[in-house]
Amino acid sequence: MTNHQHRGTFASASPALLVGDGRTARHATLLAILLLAVVFLILPGLTAQAAAMNLQVVKSQKGINAWLVEDHTAPIITIGFVFDGGTAQDPVGKLGLANLMAGLFDEGSGELDSNAFQLKLDGAGAEMGFNAWRDGIYGSMRMLSERKDAAFDLLRIAINRPRFDQEPVDRVRAQILSSIIAKEREPHAIAELVWRRRIYGTHPYSRPSKGTKESLAGITPADLSAFHTAMFARDGLHVAVVGDIDAKALSEKLDQLFANLPQKQALAPVPDIAPKLGQWTLVAYDLPQTSLQLAFPGIGPNDPEFYAAQLINDILGGLPFTSRLFQEVREKRGLAYDIGSNLEGYQHSDALVVTTSTRADRAAETLGAIRQVIKELAEKGPTETELEASKKYSIGAYAINNLDSSSSIAATLIGLQLDKHGIDYIQRRPALIEQVNLDQVKATAKKLLSAEPAIMGVGPRLDIKG
């Protein structure tokens, strides 16, 4: 099931357990299919609940917009937000700047140093977090509604007045450096960096999001403050709130949190880019398994063919237990424990990616099987039965995959804002999927899967080009 929210990343190839005893694998699969059948029985009710969700747009007096799901069944409020920009905005020579900044918002703000801020946060009964992704700086807070005034005030000063004191800057920088050093000899971490350079060339998406040892060393508190001013502005803001708060109270909190920020961001332009396909990359390591990754053209969420692409992805490798790749590669041949495909997108690039791992001595066989499945689907398309099953799952599983908690609801609503889907998208989505016909899906399958992919193998130096 695809969740295309422009904050994903090309999946790095990762090892997976191989299928061992055939009987055990068959029993596991039978149980999985039984569980999937049970899921299908409850999907209509979940879909109806999703459609009935009380979603509204709240606009504050000073013009801050947020999507709100008002829910008073539990005394919890969850707020999520994103500022456009992210690690793609890291200046050359200062790579890792966005990621370092994201680790410092709970390390002192306003008049509170790091320790005082943490004590206040604990006292408010709130959880706060920030993350830097390729195209945005994401923040969230989960709080008890009875303590919302104290919690929102802490979030306010974190957003508006981060301190970036030297001691926490050095401490958080050291933690990131430790992570970078730990992965310097990790095959799959190395492979991801190689893959990005091959796929994206010199585009900002090719850069390591955590930076390098050299670039991190040169980042100063002044750099962080300037970057914060450039990123944290109202025209690049998207907000979603879920829980025990009404529209009037939220309107006041929105102005409290965001109204004093600058109006305009100062972003460097990031060009659109198509991944460089038709190339082979081998990251040679003496490993018991070979990880494989194939990238094909993708389709963005506002393209007329997007829903056809979602359905073809489900049929290829996105549906649990019943996709063609799962059946052919795992079930019939026992070549991999797990295999799948996903539509993965950034704001400026999209791809359909297939990933798996297999025994090193069966890598060529596995790659050959994958390519044959893809070739047949590209040439002949899916069956009507496969299409209808994919539609049913895609419509029904949306609530399970995206609306199962306040945090996931908030994240989903932010994703819908980023994809410019509109506040009524959850209600419209089933009809958008149902209207896709077999001819459209066949045409999209041919368009995406007929391309010569970029392929990466991570493992022993074998001739596995197929």
Side-chain angles (χ1 to χ4, degrees):
M1 171 68 180
T2 302
N3 186 16
H4 193 290
Q5 297 185 353
H6 288 308
R7 56 191 180 115
T9 178
F10 281 130
S12 59
S14 57
L17 296 175
L18 295 176
V19 176
D21 177 67
R23 182 182 306 167
T24 302
R26 284 193 297 274
H27 286 172
T29 301
L30 287 172
L31 176 59
I33 291 173
L34 176 61
L35 291 173
L36 188 59
V38 172
V39 168
F40 271 112
L41 290 176
I42 65 173
L43 290 184
L46 290 171
T47 304
Q49 280 185 326
M53 191 167 58
N54 180 24
L55 179 56
Q56 56 186 307
V57 175
V58 176
K59 186 171 184 177
S60 74
Q61 288 187 351
K62 296 184 179 180
I64 309 298
N65 290 331
W67 290 12
L68 169 65
V69 176
E70 193 172 336
D71 181 2
H72 301 286
T73 58
I76 300 291
I77 301 170
T78 300
I79 180 172
F81 53 92
V82 59
F83 291 93
D84 295 337
T87 63
Q89 292 293 317
D90 284 347
V92 175
K94 303 284 185 180
L95 301 185
L97 180 58
N99 182 67
L100 177 58
M101 182 183 72
L104 290 163
F105 285 103
D106 62 350
E107 292 284 353
S109 299
E111 303 304 318
L112 304 175
D113 65 13
S114 178
N115 289 334
F117 188 92
Q118 292 290 339
L119 288 172
K120 288 272 191 179
L121 192 63
D122 289 343
E127 300 171 344
M128 187 179 79
F130 285 80
N131 287 287
W133 295 78
R134 295 286 170 182
D135 296 309
I137 306 294
Y138 287 75
S140 65
M141 178 174 269
R142 192 165 181 263
M143 68 194 81
L144 295 171
S145 54
E146 64 182 12
R147 301 183 188 176
K148 66 179 182 294
D149 290 341
F152 274 119
D153 192 55
L154 287 169
L155 185 58
R156 174 187 64 81
I157 61 172
I159 291 169
N160 288 272
R161 301 170 61 198
R163 288 171 60 124
F164 303 128
D165 293 335
Q166 190 69 57
E167 187 279 326
V169 168
D170 290 341
R171 174 164 39 81
V172 174
R173 177 177 15 224
Q175 294 169 356
I176 298 171
L177 283 170
S178 295
S179 173
I180 291 172
I181 292 169
K183 290 185 175 181
E184 284 183 334
R185 296 186 179 181
E186 206 283 308
H188 295 97
I190 295 170
E192 182 178 0
L193 293 176
V194 172
W195 175 255
R196 287 188 170 279
R197 287 194 293 268
R198 294 295 299 274
I199 291 291
Y200 290 121
T202 59
H203 192 276
Y205 289 161
S206 71
R207 303 169 185 167
S209 60
K210 291 183 178 180
T212 65
K213 290 184 290 186
E214 295 76 19
S215 66
L216 280 174
I219 295 174
T220 67
D223 294 326
L224 292 161
S225 294
F227 195 75
H228 168 261
T229 300
M231 295 296 103
F232 277 49
R234 293 166 55 177
D235 67 330
L237 173 66
H238 315 271
V239 187
V241 180
V242 180
D244 188 22
I245 188 169
D246 60 30
K248 182 177 183 300
L250 176 59
S251 174
E252 296 171 356
K253 296 303 181 186
L254 291 174
D255 282 340
Q256 176 187 346
L257 292 174
F258 303 114
N260 291 325
L261 292 173
Q263 179 60 37
K264 296 288 186 180
Q265 291 184 301
L267 300 184
V270 177
D272 293 342
I273 183 172
K276 297 177 182 178
L277 307 181
Q279 57 177 322
W280 170 261
T281 302
L282 176 63
V283 181
Y285 276 89
D286 186 16
L287 300 170
Q289 292 186 334
T290 293
S291 298
L292 296 170
Q293 182 161 285
L294 296 82
F296 293 84
I299 288 181
N302 295 305
D303 191 290
E305 294 184 73
F306 179 64
Y307 298 99
Q310 280 193 318
L311 294 168
I312 202 65
N313 172 72
D314 285 347
I315 293 164
L316 173 63
L319 277 175
F321 320 120
T322 60
S323 71
R324 288 197 182 187
L325 286 174
F326 188 92
Q327 288 297 313
E328 292 294 327
V329 177
R330 170 178 163 150
E331 290 302 283
K332 292 185 180 179
R333 295 175 175 84
L335 292 170
Y337 181 78
D338 190 25
I339 184 169
S341 65
N342 193 30
L343 283 174
E344 298 181 348
Y346 300 120
Q347 184 176 346
H348 301 286
S349 188
D350 298 284
L352 189 156
V353 180
V354 175
T355 55
T356 193
S357 292
T358 187
R359 259 174 36 190
D361 61 351
R362 303 192 76 179
E365 181 184 359
T366 302
L367 181 59
I370 292 170
R371 301 208 68 176
Q372 184 60 34
V373 169
I374 292 170
K375 181 175 184 288
E376 290 178 359
L377 191 54
E379 292 177 351
K380 300 178 182 179
T383 66
E384 189 73 53
T385 300
E386 286 177 315
L387 177 57
E388 290 307 312
S390 178
K391 285 182 178 181
K392 184 175 181 180
Y393 182 82
S394 184
I395 292 169
Y398 188 81
I400 295 175
N401 294 332
N402 298 279
L403 306 172
D404 63 340
S405 69
S406 61
S407 296
S408 63
I409 292 171
T412 296
L413 297 184
I414 289 173
L416 297 183
Q417 293 177 51
L418 293 173
D419 288 342
K420 298 178 174 60
H421 277 318
I423 196 167
D424 61 343
Y425 173 77
I426 294 175
Q427 287 74 32
R428 292 187 294 109
R429 183 177 180 275
L432 293 171
I433 292 170
E434 287 287 6
Q435 70 186 15
V436 179
N437 62 45
L438 187 60
D439 288 341
Q440 290 171 326
V441 172
K442 286 182 176 181
T444 301
K446 185 174 183 179
K447 176 180 178 179
L448 299 184
L449 302 178
S450 294
E452 183 63 24
I455 304 174
M456 181 172 70
V458 185
R461 187 177 293 280
L462 297 175
D463 181 14
I464 59 173
K465 295 186 182 181

